[in-house]
Short mmCIF file of all heavy atoms in Angstrom, two decimals:
data_model
loop_
_atom_site.label_atom_id
_atom_site.label_comp_id
_atom_site.label_asym_id
_atom_site.label_seq_id
_atom_site.Cartn_x
_atom_site.Cartn_y
_atom_site.Cartn_z
N MET A 28 -2.55 12.36 5.63
CA MET A 28 -2.23 11.52 4.50
C MET A 28 -1.11 10.60 4.68
O MET A 28 -1.08 9.53 4.16
CB MET A 28 -1.96 12.44 3.27
CG MET A 28 -3.16 13.15 2.69
SD MET A 28 -2.91 14.19 1.29
CE MET A 28 -2.44 12.98 0.17
N LYS A 29 -0.22 11.07 5.58
CA LYS A 29 0.92 10.19 5.87
C LYS A 29 0.51 8.92 6.60
O LYS A 29 1.01 7.83 6.33
CB LYS A 29 1.96 10.96 6.68
CG LYS A 29 3.26 10.28 6.85
CD LYS A 29 4.25 11.26 7.65
CE LYS A 29 5.66 10.63 7.55
NZ LYS A 29 6.57 11.57 8.20
N VAL A 30 -0.47 9.07 7.54
CA VAL A 30 -0.93 7.87 8.26
C VAL A 30 -1.66 6.95 7.35
O VAL A 30 -1.40 5.73 7.43
CB VAL A 30 -1.84 8.32 9.43
CG1 VAL A 30 -2.51 7.12 10.16
CG2 VAL A 30 -1.03 9.18 10.43
N VAL A 31 -2.37 7.46 6.39
CA VAL A 31 -3.22 6.61 5.51
C VAL A 31 -2.21 5.84 4.59
O VAL A 31 -2.33 4.71 4.31
CB VAL A 31 -4.15 7.39 4.67
CG1 VAL A 31 -4.77 6.60 3.61
CG2 VAL A 31 -5.23 8.02 5.56
N GLY A 32 -1.15 6.58 4.12
CA GLY A 32 -0.16 5.93 3.33
C GLY A 32 0.59 4.81 4.04
O GLY A 32 0.74 3.77 3.47
N ILE A 33 0.92 5.05 5.25
CA ILE A 33 1.64 3.99 6.04
C ILE A 33 0.74 2.79 6.22
O ILE A 33 1.26 1.61 6.12
CB ILE A 33 2.22 4.57 7.34
CG1 ILE A 33 3.32 5.55 7.00
CG2 ILE A 33 2.71 3.51 8.28
CD1 ILE A 33 3.76 6.39 8.20
N LEU A 34 -0.45 3.04 6.58
CA LEU A 34 -1.47 1.97 6.84
C LEU A 34 -1.67 1.09 5.55
O LEU A 34 -1.76 -0.10 5.65
CB LEU A 34 -2.79 2.49 7.41
CG LEU A 34 -2.74 2.98 8.81
CD1 LEU A 34 -4.09 3.59 9.17
CD2 LEU A 34 -2.40 1.86 9.75
N LEU A 35 -1.73 1.78 4.43
CA LEU A 35 -1.96 1.13 3.19
C LEU A 35 -0.73 0.20 2.83
O LEU A 35 -0.87 -0.95 2.33
CB LEU A 35 -2.21 2.04 2.01
CG LEU A 35 -3.63 2.52 1.88
CD1 LEU A 35 -3.73 3.66 0.93
CD2 LEU A 35 -4.59 1.39 1.53
N ILE A 36 0.44 0.74 3.09
CA ILE A 36 1.69 -0.09 2.86
C ILE A 36 1.68 -1.27 3.79
O ILE A 36 1.98 -2.41 3.31
CB ILE A 36 2.92 0.79 3.07
CG1 ILE A 36 2.97 1.78 1.90
CG2 ILE A 36 4.23 -0.08 3.16
CD1 ILE A 36 4.05 2.79 2.07
N ILE A 37 1.36 -1.09 5.05
CA ILE A 37 1.32 -2.23 5.99
C ILE A 37 0.24 -3.27 5.54
O ILE A 37 0.54 -4.45 5.52
CB ILE A 37 1.02 -1.80 7.42
CG1 ILE A 37 2.19 -0.98 7.96
CG2 ILE A 37 0.71 -2.99 8.37
CD1 ILE A 37 1.92 -0.21 9.22
N LEU A 38 -0.90 -2.77 5.08
CA LEU A 38 -1.99 -3.71 4.58
C LEU A 38 -1.45 -4.42 3.40
O LEU A 38 -1.79 -5.66 3.30
CB LEU A 38 -3.20 -2.87 4.35
CG LEU A 38 -4.41 -3.67 3.85
CD1 LEU A 38 -5.01 -4.54 5.02
CD2 LEU A 38 -5.48 -2.73 3.32
N GLY A 39 -0.75 -3.79 2.47
CA GLY A 39 -0.24 -4.44 1.29
C GLY A 39 0.72 -5.51 1.57
O GLY A 39 0.64 -6.57 0.96
N VAL A 40 1.64 -5.24 2.49
CA VAL A 40 2.65 -6.20 2.87
C VAL A 40 1.97 -7.54 3.54
O VAL A 40 2.38 -8.62 3.22
CB VAL A 40 3.74 -5.63 3.68
CG1 VAL A 40 4.57 -6.71 4.30
CG2 VAL A 40 4.49 -4.62 2.98
N ILE A 41 1.12 -7.22 4.39
CA ILE A 41 0.28 -8.32 5.06
C ILE A 41 -0.50 -9.17 4.04
O ILE A 41 -0.54 -10.35 4.11
CB ILE A 41 -0.56 -7.80 6.21
CG1 ILE A 41 0.34 -7.27 7.36
CG2 ILE A 41 -1.43 -8.91 6.73
CD1 ILE A 41 -0.44 -6.58 8.42
N GLY A 42 -1.11 -8.44 3.17
CA GLY A 42 -1.95 -9.06 2.06
C GLY A 42 -1.06 -9.89 1.18
O GLY A 42 -1.59 -10.96 0.78
N ILE A 43 0.13 -9.50 0.86
CA ILE A 43 0.96 -10.29 -0.05
C ILE A 43 1.32 -11.57 0.68
O ILE A 43 1.34 -12.66 0.15
CB ILE A 43 2.17 -9.48 -0.50
CG1 ILE A 43 1.77 -8.40 -1.50
CG2 ILE A 43 3.25 -10.40 -1.11
CD1 ILE A 43 2.83 -7.49 -1.94
N ALA A 44 1.73 -11.42 1.98
CA ALA A 44 2.06 -12.50 2.80
C ALA A 44 0.97 -13.59 2.85
O ALA A 44 1.21 -14.85 2.73
CB ALA A 44 2.53 -12.17 4.22
N ILE A 45 -0.27 -13.09 3.11
CA ILE A 45 -1.40 -14.00 3.21
C ILE A 45 -1.70 -14.65 1.81
O ILE A 45 -2.04 -15.69 1.76
CB ILE A 45 -2.57 -13.24 3.79
CG1 ILE A 45 -2.29 -12.94 5.30
CG2 ILE A 45 -3.83 -14.09 3.65
CD1 ILE A 45 -3.38 -12.03 5.95
N GLY A 46 -1.56 -13.82 0.83
CA GLY A 46 -1.94 -14.34 -0.52
C GLY A 46 -0.95 -15.39 -1.02
O GLY A 46 -1.34 -16.31 -1.77
N LEU A 47 0.28 -15.32 -0.53
CA LEU A 47 1.23 -16.39 -0.88
C LEU A 47 0.89 -17.79 -0.24
O LEU A 47 1.35 -18.78 -0.68
CB LEU A 47 2.66 -16.01 -0.54
CG LEU A 47 3.25 -14.84 -1.38
CD1 LEU A 47 4.56 -14.39 -0.79
CD2 LEU A 47 3.35 -15.25 -2.82
N MET A 48 0.11 -17.69 0.89
CA MET A 48 -0.29 -18.94 1.52
C MET A 48 -1.59 -19.52 0.99
O MET A 48 -1.90 -20.63 1.27
CB MET A 48 -0.53 -18.63 3.01
CG MET A 48 0.72 -18.31 3.77
SD MET A 48 0.38 -18.25 5.53
CE MET A 48 0.59 -16.46 5.75
N MET A 49 -2.26 -18.78 0.05
CA MET A 49 -3.50 -19.25 -0.45
C MET A 49 -3.28 -20.02 -1.78
O MET A 49 -2.19 -19.89 -2.33
CB MET A 49 -4.44 -18.04 -0.66
CG MET A 49 -4.89 -17.35 0.50
SD MET A 49 -5.96 -16.03 0.08
CE MET A 49 -6.35 -15.39 1.60
N PHE A 50 -4.24 -20.80 -2.14
CA PHE A 50 -4.14 -21.60 -3.31
C PHE A 50 -5.00 -21.02 -4.45
O PHE A 50 -6.07 -20.48 -4.25
CB PHE A 50 -4.61 -23.07 -3.05
CG PHE A 50 -3.83 -23.80 -2.09
CD1 PHE A 50 -4.38 -24.02 -0.83
CD2 PHE A 50 -2.54 -24.20 -2.41
CE1 PHE A 50 -3.50 -24.75 0.13
CE2 PHE A 50 -1.75 -24.91 -1.51
CZ PHE A 50 -2.26 -25.15 -0.18
N GLY A 51 -4.55 -21.19 -5.70
CA GLY A 51 -5.30 -20.95 -6.86
C GLY A 51 -5.75 -19.51 -7.11
O GLY A 51 -4.92 -18.58 -6.83
N ASP A 52 -6.89 -19.26 -7.67
CA ASP A 52 -7.41 -17.98 -8.07
C ASP A 52 -7.57 -17.06 -6.88
O ASP A 52 -7.34 -15.88 -7.08
CB ASP A 52 -8.73 -18.12 -8.76
CG ASP A 52 -8.59 -19.00 -10.02
OD1 ASP A 52 -7.53 -19.20 -10.50
OD2 ASP A 52 -9.75 -19.35 -10.53
N ILE A 53 -7.87 -17.59 -5.80
CA ILE A 53 -8.06 -16.68 -4.63
C ILE A 53 -6.82 -16.14 -4.18
O ILE A 53 -6.72 -14.94 -3.81
CB ILE A 53 -8.79 -17.49 -3.40
CG1 ILE A 53 -10.05 -18.20 -3.89
CG2 ILE A 53 -8.96 -16.65 -2.20
CD1 ILE A 53 -11.12 -17.22 -4.31
N GLY A 54 -5.74 -16.84 -4.17
CA GLY A 54 -4.43 -16.27 -3.88
C GLY A 54 -4.00 -15.23 -4.82
O GLY A 54 -3.41 -14.20 -4.40
N VAL A 55 -4.16 -15.44 -6.06
CA VAL A 55 -3.85 -14.43 -7.08
C VAL A 55 -4.63 -13.11 -6.91
O VAL A 55 -4.07 -12.03 -6.89
CB VAL A 55 -4.08 -14.98 -8.51
CG1 VAL A 55 -3.83 -13.93 -9.58
CG2 VAL A 55 -3.15 -16.16 -8.77
N ALA A 56 -5.95 -13.30 -6.59
CA ALA A 56 -6.78 -12.14 -6.37
C ALA A 56 -6.34 -11.31 -5.08
O ALA A 56 -6.30 -10.11 -5.10
CB ALA A 56 -8.28 -12.50 -6.19
N CYS A 57 -5.90 -12.11 -4.12
CA CYS A 57 -5.45 -11.40 -2.87
C CYS A 57 -4.15 -10.71 -3.09
O CYS A 57 -3.95 -9.57 -2.60
CB CYS A 57 -5.28 -12.49 -1.81
SG CYS A 57 -4.82 -11.89 -0.19
N ILE A 58 -3.30 -11.30 -3.86
CA ILE A 58 -2.03 -10.62 -4.19
C ILE A 58 -2.18 -9.33 -5.06
O ILE A 58 -1.60 -8.31 -4.78
CB ILE A 58 -1.01 -11.56 -4.90
CG1 ILE A 58 -0.64 -12.65 -3.80
CG2 ILE A 58 0.24 -10.86 -5.42
CD1 ILE A 58 0.22 -13.74 -4.44
N VAL A 59 -3.17 -9.43 -5.99
CA VAL A 59 -3.48 -8.26 -6.84
C VAL A 59 -4.02 -7.13 -5.94
O VAL A 59 -3.66 -5.98 -6.11
CB VAL A 59 -4.38 -8.63 -7.94
CG1 VAL A 59 -4.95 -7.40 -8.67
CG2 VAL A 59 -3.71 -9.52 -8.99
N GLY A 60 -4.92 -7.45 -5.09
CA GLY A 60 -5.48 -6.45 -4.20
C GLY A 60 -4.45 -5.86 -3.23
O GLY A 60 -4.45 -4.62 -2.98
N ALA A 61 -3.56 -6.71 -2.86
CA ALA A 61 -2.42 -6.21 -1.83
C ALA A 61 -1.50 -5.30 -2.57
O ALA A 61 -1.08 -4.24 -2.07
CB ALA A 61 -1.67 -7.37 -1.27
N LEU A 62 -1.22 -5.64 -3.83
CA LEU A 62 -0.40 -4.78 -4.66
C LEU A 62 -0.94 -3.45 -4.92
O LEU A 62 -0.33 -2.38 -4.95
CB LEU A 62 0.01 -5.45 -6.01
CG LEU A 62 0.98 -6.58 -5.96
CD1 LEU A 62 1.17 -7.28 -7.31
CD2 LEU A 62 2.32 -6.05 -5.49
N ALA A 63 -2.24 -3.44 -5.19
CA ALA A 63 -3.05 -2.08 -5.35
C ALA A 63 -2.90 -1.25 -4.09
O ALA A 63 -2.65 -0.04 -4.11
CB ALA A 63 -4.44 -2.39 -5.72
N ALA A 64 -3.08 -1.90 -2.92
CA ALA A 64 -2.93 -1.16 -1.62
C ALA A 64 -1.51 -0.65 -1.47
O ALA A 64 -1.37 0.49 -1.04
CB ALA A 64 -3.36 -2.05 -0.46
N LEU A 65 -0.55 -1.51 -1.83
CA LEU A 65 0.85 -1.04 -1.68
C LEU A 65 1.19 0.16 -2.56
O LEU A 65 1.84 1.09 -2.12
CB LEU A 65 1.73 -2.21 -2.05
CG LEU A 65 3.21 -2.31 -1.58
CD1 LEU A 65 3.20 -2.36 -0.01
CD2 LEU A 65 3.85 -3.56 -2.16
N LEU A 66 0.74 0.07 -3.85
CA LEU A 66 1.06 1.16 -4.76
C LEU A 66 0.27 2.43 -4.35
O LEU A 66 0.83 3.62 -4.40
CB LEU A 66 0.64 0.80 -6.14
CG LEU A 66 1.55 -0.29 -6.81
CD1 LEU A 66 0.95 -0.64 -8.15
CD2 LEU A 66 2.91 0.28 -6.91
N SER A 67 -0.90 2.31 -3.83
CA SER A 67 -1.70 3.42 -3.28
C SER A 67 -1.00 4.07 -2.13
O SER A 67 -0.95 5.26 -1.97
CB SER A 67 -3.13 2.98 -2.93
OG SER A 67 -3.80 2.49 -4.02
N GLY A 68 -0.46 3.26 -1.21
CA GLY A 68 0.29 3.75 -0.07
C GLY A 68 1.47 4.58 -0.45
O GLY A 68 1.73 5.63 0.04
N PHE A 69 2.20 4.06 -1.43
CA PHE A 69 3.38 4.80 -1.92
C PHE A 69 2.99 6.11 -2.63
O PHE A 69 3.63 7.15 -2.46
CB PHE A 69 4.25 3.93 -2.88
CG PHE A 69 5.09 2.93 -2.17
CD1 PHE A 69 5.01 1.59 -2.56
CD2 PHE A 69 5.93 3.28 -1.06
CE1 PHE A 69 5.80 0.62 -1.94
CE2 PHE A 69 6.66 2.30 -0.47
CZ PHE A 69 6.65 0.96 -0.84
N GLY A 70 1.85 6.06 -3.34
CA GLY A 70 1.31 7.30 -3.90
C GLY A 70 0.92 8.30 -2.88
O GLY A 70 1.18 9.50 -3.10
N PHE A 71 0.26 7.88 -1.87
CA PHE A 71 -0.14 8.87 -0.77
C PHE A 71 1.10 9.50 -0.18
O PHE A 71 1.11 10.69 0.06
CB PHE A 71 -0.92 8.08 0.31
CG PHE A 71 -2.42 8.13 0.05
CD1 PHE A 71 -3.14 7.12 -0.58
CD2 PHE A 71 -3.22 9.24 0.51
CE1 PHE A 71 -4.48 7.20 -0.71
CE2 PHE A 71 -4.55 9.32 0.35
CZ PHE A 71 -5.23 8.26 -0.30
N LEU A 72 2.13 8.67 0.05
CA LEU A 72 3.33 9.24 0.76
C LEU A 72 3.99 10.21 -0.24
O LEU A 72 4.52 11.21 0.21
CB LEU A 72 4.31 8.12 1.10
CG LEU A 72 3.87 7.29 2.36
CD1 LEU A 72 4.92 6.21 2.61
CD2 LEU A 72 3.68 8.16 3.58
N SER A 73 3.99 9.83 -1.54
CA SER A 73 4.60 10.81 -2.53
C SER A 73 3.89 12.10 -2.61
O SER A 73 4.52 13.17 -2.66
CB SER A 73 4.61 10.07 -3.84
OG SER A 73 5.04 10.95 -4.86
N VAL A 74 2.56 12.11 -2.63
CA VAL A 74 1.84 13.27 -2.72
C VAL A 74 2.01 14.06 -1.35
O VAL A 74 2.14 15.33 -1.48
CB VAL A 74 0.33 12.97 -2.91
CG1 VAL A 74 -0.53 14.20 -2.72
CG2 VAL A 74 0.11 12.40 -4.31
N ASN A 75 2.05 13.41 -0.28
CA ASN A 75 2.27 14.14 1.03
C ASN A 75 3.60 14.83 0.99
O ASN A 75 3.66 16.02 1.49
CB ASN A 75 2.19 13.11 2.19
CG ASN A 75 2.23 13.77 3.52
OD1 ASN A 75 1.68 14.85 3.67
ND2 ASN A 75 2.82 13.18 4.49
N ASN A 76 4.62 14.12 0.50
CA ASN A 76 5.96 14.79 0.47
C ASN A 76 6.01 16.04 -0.44
O ASN A 76 6.56 17.04 -0.21
CB ASN A 76 7.02 13.75 0.03
CG ASN A 76 7.32 12.80 1.10
OD1 ASN A 76 7.06 13.03 2.28
ND2 ASN A 76 7.90 11.68 0.74
N LYS A 77 5.27 15.91 -1.62
CA LYS A 77 5.26 17.04 -2.54
C LYS A 77 4.49 18.21 -2.05
O LYS A 77 4.84 19.39 -2.19
CB LYS A 77 4.75 16.61 -3.93
CG LYS A 77 5.67 15.70 -4.70
CD LYS A 77 5.13 15.29 -6.05
CE LYS A 77 6.12 14.41 -6.73
NZ LYS A 77 5.71 14.03 -8.04
N LEU A 78 3.36 17.94 -1.29
CA LEU A 78 2.63 19.00 -0.68
C LEU A 78 3.39 19.77 0.38
O LEU A 78 3.29 20.93 0.49
CB LEU A 78 1.32 18.51 -0.15
CG LEU A 78 0.21 18.06 -1.09
CD1 LEU A 78 -0.96 17.53 -0.48
CD2 LEU A 78 -0.21 19.36 -1.92
N ASN A 79 4.07 18.91 1.25
CA ASN A 79 4.85 19.56 2.33
C ASN A 79 6.05 20.35 1.75
O ASN A 79 6.40 21.43 2.27
CB ASN A 79 5.37 18.46 3.24
CG ASN A 79 4.35 17.88 4.12
OD1 ASN A 79 3.29 18.55 4.28
ND2 ASN A 79 4.53 16.67 4.59
N SER A 80 6.68 19.94 0.67
CA SER A 80 7.82 20.69 0.08
C SER A 80 7.36 21.92 -0.59
O SER A 80 8.07 22.87 -0.65
CB SER A 80 8.61 19.75 -0.79
OG SER A 80 7.86 19.43 -1.93
N SER A 81 6.18 21.98 -1.21
CA SER A 81 5.64 23.12 -1.82
C SER A 81 5.18 24.20 -0.90
O SER A 81 5.19 25.39 -1.29
CB SER A 81 4.51 22.75 -2.86
OG SER A 81 3.42 22.32 -2.12
N GLU A 82 4.83 23.78 0.26
CA GLU A 82 4.39 24.81 1.25
C GLU A 82 5.45 25.58 1.83
O GLU A 82 5.24 26.76 2.20
CB GLU A 82 3.56 24.15 2.35
CG GLU A 82 2.33 23.60 1.94
CD GLU A 82 1.53 22.79 3.02
OE1 GLU A 82 2.10 22.73 4.20
OE2 GLU A 82 0.47 22.30 2.78
N SER A 83 6.70 25.05 1.86
CA SER A 83 7.81 25.76 2.52
C SER A 83 8.31 26.87 1.71
O SER A 83 8.30 26.95 0.50
CB SER A 83 8.98 24.71 2.81
OG SER A 83 8.50 23.74 3.70
#
């Protein structure tokens, strides 16, 4: 889960950078999708940390 979270965060950052270069509605849609990936990545890392701490 840690790898998936890190990949989603990287995808989100790249998507935001690309979305800022786009014009109009397409750029907004790209940024919204990138933000969703970014939040999902942080969610995956949070769940991974909670699962690891509860097992100890």
Side-chain angles (χ1 to χ4, degrees):
M28 287 180 64
K29 190 173 189 177
V30 174
V31 173
I33 292 171
L34 289 175
L35 280 169
I36 291 172
I37 292 170
L38 182 71
V40 170
I41 292 171
I43 289 173
I45 291 173
L47 290 173
M48 289 186 253
M49 295 181 179
F50 296 108
D52 298 346
I53 303 298
V55 173
C57 184
I58 292 172
V59 168
L62 285 174
L65 199 62
L66 291 174
S67 298
F69 285 128
F71 268 95
L72 289 180
S73 173
V74 169
N75 187 36
N76 288 340
K77 287 184 181 180
L78 286 176
N79 286 340
S80 66
S81 67
E82 289 177 1
S83 298

